[in-house]
Amino acid sequence: MKILLFGGAFDPPHKGHVSILKKAAQHTDFDKIIVMPTGTPTHKKGCVAPFDVRLHMAKLAFGDIGENVEISDYEGTNLKDDYTYLTLEYLKEKYDNPHIFMAIGSDSLLSLNSWKNAQQVMDSCTVLAFAREDDVEDDMAEKEAELEKTGADIRFIKVDPVEFSSSQYRKGFGEENRDFLPQNVQNIIDEYDIYAQDDITRWKGTARLLAKLLLDEKRYIHTLNVEKLAAELGEKYSLDVEKLRVAALLHDIMKNASYDILLHRASQSGIINKIEDKPKQTLHGFAAAHYAAKEMDIQDQDILWAVKSHTCGRYGMQDMEKVIYLADMLCEERKFDSKDYLLGIAKENLDKAMYAALQHSLEWIKSKGNTVDTDSLGALEYFAQLAGEIC
Ligand SMILES: [Fe+2]
Ligand SMILES: [Fe+2]
């Protein structure tokens, strides 16, 4: 079996990537072509779009090249380190030791022997290196000779110069750059402001797209309802409504993630000391905050805490956390007896609403025979103190 592997950040994928893949596909008769967006790039730091958005853009850009093309989520969803030698090991095992051809740019070829376990990489695949004609004759020939001493199988594919890069696009070079992206990729970027220079605009648009991509229909509608009520309460209490929108759009973003991913992200969110004490259903808030920080580079503590504490609250909650907690519980599609009563209080006084909402939630949790989280007990104590019921 012959596999062509084409990895990259694809942040965003542009027409140069598409033409390289098409050219590589002609090199031999491949049974499978795997396009693999990098998770957290090892050699190229600083992705703007999160993995899930880059995966989606890759599907748009490369999806119609051929029936044997697969856009793989492997590097963004496995819990191992993101190294090429591990990806090659994975493909060797999955496809029963295929002949892998790895397509890379000439710049990557120059640094190939500094990659982690470079010898293993070179032993595991044939390298298809893309280079401009004059490069092949100069630097590349020298590099090829050097690498081939290690037994590497390197084949050059000559390409026309591409006077464009994804990093140029991200920096924003004006309208003329629009021609360099596939139309469907450009459309999604425009619709969701994925590369907006302003942080809040970019976070909000990206979070909205992520909610659409990662959540089922019911949870997506819930998320939009939480956003709506959070914005309404935010206006009322003169809070930063745009930040609240970002937190609302992200609060359940890990709701459909596997338990392994939840545990992995939650345990790295830096606030769970005893993860084994946390009820499973509370982990997605911590995991979502980790996702926001790591995948979207959101370091705003107001947003991160509002996402983190929405499942169980905490002692000393701030106003934005209260709003997301209450909006999550009292948004449009929620139906329970005391909802209108609690919503009425939420529009009068956030602390009183939190105290009443927590009492209601904890009673409900106990009635189902479930364990009450220690953070929820801390939150209840905090709002009871504010209400003057305990000292
Ligand atoms: Fe939630
Ligand atoms: Fe929710």
Side-chain angles (χ1 to χ4, degrees):
M1 183 181 195
K2 288 179 190 165
I3 289 180
L4 171 62
L5 171 65
F6 185 39
F10 305 125
D11 188 23
H14 56 68
K15 287 180 182 172
H17 294 129
V18 176
S19 67
I20 279 174
L21 185 62
K22 283 180 176 169
K23 194 131 194 182
Q26 292 164 4
H27 178 76
T28 190
D29 201 6
F30 290 108
D31 298 290
K32 202 167 190 54
I33 296 172
I34 299 177
V35 176
M36 194 175 280
T38 46
T40 306
T42 310
H43 298 279
K44 184 180 175 188
K45 292 197 184 303
C47 276
V48 172
F51 171 79
D52 293 297
V53 169
R54 290 184 287 109
L55 179 72
H56 181 64
M57 291 193 290
K59 286 176 183 170
L60 294 174
F62 305 112
D64 61 356
I65 287 179
E67 281 181 6
N68 61 342
V69 176
E70 175 193 326
I71 317 299
S72 170
D73 67 358
Y74 173 72
E75 289 199 353
T77 54
N78 79 87
L79 300 175
K80 293 180 180 174
D81 285 331
D82 195 10
Y83 291 115
T84 300
Y85 81 94
L86 291 173
T87 298
L88 292 168
E89 274 180 5
Y90 158 75
L91 292 174
K92 291 262 177 197
E93 195 181 326
K94 181 170 179 184
Y95 294 103
D96 197 18
N97 209 24
H99 184 175
I100 301 174
F101 294 73
M102 181 174 65
I104 61 174
S106 55
D107 51 340
S108 298
L109 183 71
L110 291 174
S111 64
L112 183 59
N113 44 1
S114 69
W115 292 13
K116 181 90 171 172
N117 292 355
Q119 187 63 52
Q120 188 180 336
V121 171
M122 291 184 278
D123 291 346
S124 308
C125 66
T126 294
V127 176
L128 293 185
F130 294 92
R132 294 190 290 190
E133 186 133 12
D134 42 347
D135 287 342
V136 175
E137 281 158 17
D138 305 332
D139 299 0
M140 293 300 148
E142 218 174 280
K143 193 71 190 177
E144 182 186 17
E146 182 192 329
L147 290 173
E148 283 185 343
K149 280 185 207 156
T150 68
D153 178 10
I154 297 169
R155 302 180 195 174
F156 284 101
I157 295 187
K158 291 172 189 171
V159 289
D160 295 332
V162 178
E163 303 298 344
F164 182 71
S165 70
S166 299
S167 58
Q168 268 179 312
Y169 181 86
R170 296 197 300 271
K171 283 177 195 154
F173 274 74
E175 286 297 303
E176 69 275 14
N177 280 349
R178 300 173 68 84
D179 291 341
F180 288 98
L181 299 192
Q183 190 58 50
N184 50 7
V185 173
Q186 185 64 60
N187 291 347
I188 207 91
I189 290 170
D190 289 344
E191 185 176 352
Y192 292 98
D193 286 321
I194 294 164
Y195 294 102
Q197 300 293 315
D198 171 63
D199 285 346
I200 290 285
T201 306
R202 188 177 65 256
W203 293 342
K204 195 172 59 174
T206 302
R208 195 178 303 284
L209 175 58
L210 286 167
K212 198 163 188 180
L213 294 175
L214 301 182
L215 300 177
D216 57 58
E217 181 70 12
K218 193 175 159 200
R219 185 66 51 183
Y220 176 65
I221 290 168
H222 161 71
T223 293
L224 297 184
N225 286 340
V226 174
E227 182 196 9
K228 190 174 159 200
L229 181 55
E232 188 186 330
L233 293 173
E235 288 276 356
K236 174 154 191 56
Y237 293 104
S238 302
L239 302 175
D240 187 326
V241 171
E242 295 306 290
K243 283 194 195 178
L244 279 169
R245 286 186 189 276
V246 175
L249 289 165
L250 290 173
H251 84 285
D252 275 348
I253 207 71
M254 287 284 100
K255 196 74 181 180
N256 289 0
S258 69
Y259 187 55
D260 284 350
I261 297 275
L262 279 182
L263 269 184
H264 175 74
R265 289 200 180 276
S267 63
Q268 294 197 2
S269 68
I271 56 166
I272 299 181
N273 297 322
K274 288 189 175 177
I275 194 163
E276 63 275 14
D277 291 345
K278 289 277 170 198
K280 184 183 166 190
Q281 64 273 20
T282 68
L283 294 179
H284 70 274
F286 300 101
H290 180 264
Y291 184 98
K294 296 296 174 199
E295 296 287 333
M296 298 173 69
D297 199 23
I298 295 178
Q299 305 304 329
D300 184 291
Q301 293 303 309
D302 293 337
I303 295 173
L304 295 181
W305 273 111
V307 172
K308 268 181 209 174
S309 67
H310 89 269
T311 50
C312 35
R314 65 171 179 130
Y315 190 92
M317 286 172 86
Q318 301 298 299
D319 282 349
M320 285 188 38
E321 299 175 71
K322 298 170 200 170
V323 165
I324 296 297
Y325 185 99
L326 291 167
D328 187 29
M329 185 177 182
L330 305 172
C331 63
E332 201 171 307
E333 88 283 0
R334 301 281 200 201
K335 306 275 182 254
F336 55 94
D337 283 348
S338 53
K339 181 193 158 179
D340 289 343
Y341 165 72
L342 290 171
L343 190 56
I345 311 177
K347 291 177 180 177
E348 296 293 324
N349 184 302
L350 284 177
D351 292 333
K352 282 185 186 166
M354 278 303 302
Y355 188 35
L358 281 160
Q359 285 175 309
H360 175 90
S361 291
L362 268 52
E363 283 307 316
W364 187 80
I365 291 167
K366 284 180 199 161
S367 75
K368 297 282 172 193
N370 292 326
T371 314
V372 175
D373 182 80
T374 48
D375 279 331
S376 297
L377 294 173
L380 186 70
E381 183 188 349
Y382 177 66
F383 290 106
Q385 283 170 349
L386 292 182
E389 291 198 6
I390 57 172
C391 310

